Amino acid sequence: MSRVFYDRDADLKHLDGKTVGIIGYGNQGRAQALNLRDSGVSVLVGGLEDTYLDMAREDGQEVSGIKETVQKSEIILMLIPDEVEPAVYAEHVRQNLREGTMLCFASGYNIHFQEIVPFEHVDVVLLAPRTLGLAVRETFTRGTGVPADVAVWRDHTGTAWPTLLALAKGIGCTRIGAFESSFREEVELDLFSKQALWPALFDCLLTGFEVRVERGYSPEAVALEFYASGEAADIFLEMATQGLFAQMRFHSLTSQYGVLSQYKGATGLGLRRRMEEVLAKIRDGSFAREWAQEAKAGYPTLKKLRQEAESHLLNATDQRIRKSLSWSLPKDG
Ligand code: NDP
């Protein structure tokens, strides 16, 4: 098993006297910037004017242009979408990096697929929280954190690891566990989930929806019975904290018997073959090439796929259910 780092393995003193420049103030940028500031770290948010800088100002963050942020910071967190990172890096970051600066990514994508090739005189590290930015912030304010993958791609200064772990501590990840990984492992596993596991789950959900609606069940009842009630989310949370099979003890015996007697081979050999093909395309770089072409053309396929998904009956059903369910408590209730 790879190394796992906790608070006791990390020391915030490695960030003393350093400024952490945050490029991007979206999902991850805002959460990580707020957590670091609450941990006593000096933070500077860098952005183009008329963009997310207003929100950062409202949060009381010190803000600056991207170029100035890079020039003034010893550590740069690249927290903008992976697709725009190479252009922003080439235009604003590259020529302003000083020797010994640390470049920190939240995804292994651009380094692994060589969309960004940093100079030899900078440290390059990965700090990838394994969940949404909202959770990064929300867990931190509750005194916990979220797990993260951490990796060092280049250690020019010889201090990349302690500095990276200090960042992970400031963001709250070492409260729960920062797992040693690599840029390659992080990106390949992440792409595999998005291209093989979640699609298989979507296929199961949609097929299960269609089969039952075709047999006369109401679309709302079908959606509610599975994920719209929040039950699936509760089960996934128990999987994370208890384990896939261990959480089964919270289910009825009928449910346990149903799942355990039916899951083997439930999706057939085709699924295994398909997953192997997807992984091969990720590993040999064909997916990265396909995605770069799609981006260059203005995302025509993605737009078409979104339209198709939006026109599915389940989408309209979801919207009707949202109106019937009261997920948030009344303000003064
Ligand atoms: P977001 O989509 O939330 O975008 C972040 C910011 O990027 C926004 O503030 C946006 O500004 C800014 N931005 C967009 N385009 C440009 C540009 N051309 N120039 C300058 N700024 C720009 O990013 P995420 O937080 O989702 O992702 C950041 C990184 O974190 C990625 O590497 C991602 O893979 C990784 N990651 C994301 C997770 C998540 O939960 N989403 C989970 C784990 C890792 P504006 O508001 O003005 O458009």
Side-chain angles (χ1 to χ4, degrees), residues 12-25:
L12 286 168
K13 78 168 189 231
H14 295 287
L15 303 179
D16 283 352
K18 293 181 179 164
T19 297
V20 177
I22 314 269
I23 311 299
Y25 207 69

Side-chain angles (χ1 to χ4, degrees), residues 98-154:
R98 288 170 289 148
E99 170 155 15
T101 301
M102 170 173 277
L103 262 182
C104 180
F105 292 86
S107 150
Y109 196 102
N110 286 313
I111 293 294
H112 176 64
F113 290 116
Q114 299 180 8
E115 297 287 337
I116 293 177
V117 183
F119 294 131
E120 303 224 326
H121 60 257
V122 295
D123 288 350
V124 182
V125 301
L126 176 77
L127 172 47
R130 290 272 39 104
T131 184
L132 308 178
L134 277 179
V136 171
R137 180 61 184 160
E138 195 267 324
T139 53
F140 184 89
T141 55
R142 280 197 284 114
T144 60
V146 300
D149 284 332
V150 285
V152 172
W153 187 75
R154 183 186 297 122

Side-chain angles (χ1 to χ4, degrees), residues 23-29 32 47-48 50-53 66 78-82 84-85 88 92 105-107 128-134 186 190:
I23 311 299
Y25 207 69
N27 296 312
Q28 289 294 330
Q32 296 193 24
L48 309 170
D50 300 328
T51 61
Y52 46 86
L53 287 189
I66 298 182
M78 294 293 285
L79 295 172
I80 53 179
D82 294 330
V84 301
E85 243 175 41
V88 172
H92 303 285
F105 292 86
S107 150
R130 290 272 39 104
T131 184
L132 308 178
L134 277 179
E186 191 277 336
D190 185 61

Side-chain angles (χ1 to χ4, degrees), residues 25-236:
Y25 207 69
N27 296 312
Q28 289 294 330
R30 181 164 189 261
Q32 296 193 24
L34 290 171
N35 291 3
L36 285 169
R37 192 181 66 182
D38 288 354
S39 298
V41 178
S42 164
V43 166
L44 178 61
V45 177
L48 309 170
E49 268 311 331
D50 300 328
T51 61
Y52 46 86
L53 287 189
D54 284 344
M55 198 202 293
R57 280 193 195 96
E58 277 168 30
D59 285 341
Q61 304 281 18
E62 198 183 327
V63 302
S64 188
I66 298 182
K67 177 181 161 196
E68 295 74 28
T69 300
V70 174
Q71 288 169 341
K72 287 184 192 163
S73 305
E74 282 75 25
I75 298 166
I76 317 284
L77 304 195
M78 294 293 285
L79 295 172
I80 53 179
D82 294 330
E83 314 81 77
V84 301
E85 243 175 41
V88 172
Y89 177 83
E91 197 175 336
H92 303 285
V93 179
R94 187 173 51 197
Q95 65 277 24
N96 295 304
L97 287 170
R98 288 170 289 148
E99 170 155 15
T101 301
M102 170 173 277
L103 262 182
C104 180
F105 292 86
S107 150
Y109 196 102
N110 286 313
I111 293 294
H112 176 64
F113 290 116
Q114 299 180 8
E115 297 287 337
I116 293 177
V117 183
F119 294 131
E120 303 224 326
H121 60 257
V122 295
D123 288 350
V124 182
V125 301
L126 176 77
L127 172 47
R130 290 272 39 104
T131 184
L132 308 178
L134 277 179
V136 171
R137 180 61 184 160
E138 195 267 324
T139 53
F140 184 89
T141 55
R142 280 197 284 114
T144 60
V146 300
D149 284 332
V150 285
V152 172
W153 187 75
R154 183 186 297 122
D155 188 1
H156 172 75
T157 61
T159 57
W161 269 111
T163 310
L164 170 60
L165 294 180
L167 281 174
K169 186 172 191 169
I171 289 164
C173 299
T174 49
R175 288 176 179 175
I176 185 157
F179 287 68
E180 183 176 19
S181 182
S182 67
F183 279 67
R184 177 185 168 179
E185 183 175 71
E186 191 277 336
V187 68
E188 288 183 354
L189 291 184
D190 185 61
L191 291 177
F192 183 81
S193 281
K194 310 286 162 51
Q195 294 175 35
L197 292 174
W198 283 105
L201 197 59
F202 271 45
D203 192 23
C204 285
L205 283 174
L206 288 170
T207 308
F209 177 79
E210 285 162 11
V211 164
R212 285 178 283 181
V213 171
E214 278 158 22
R215 296 294 183 284
Y217 299 98
S218 101
E220 286 80 7
V222 174
L224 193 64
E225 185 276 327
F226 195 26
Y227 65 89
S229 63
E231 186 187 22
D234 292 336
I235 292 173
F236 267 99

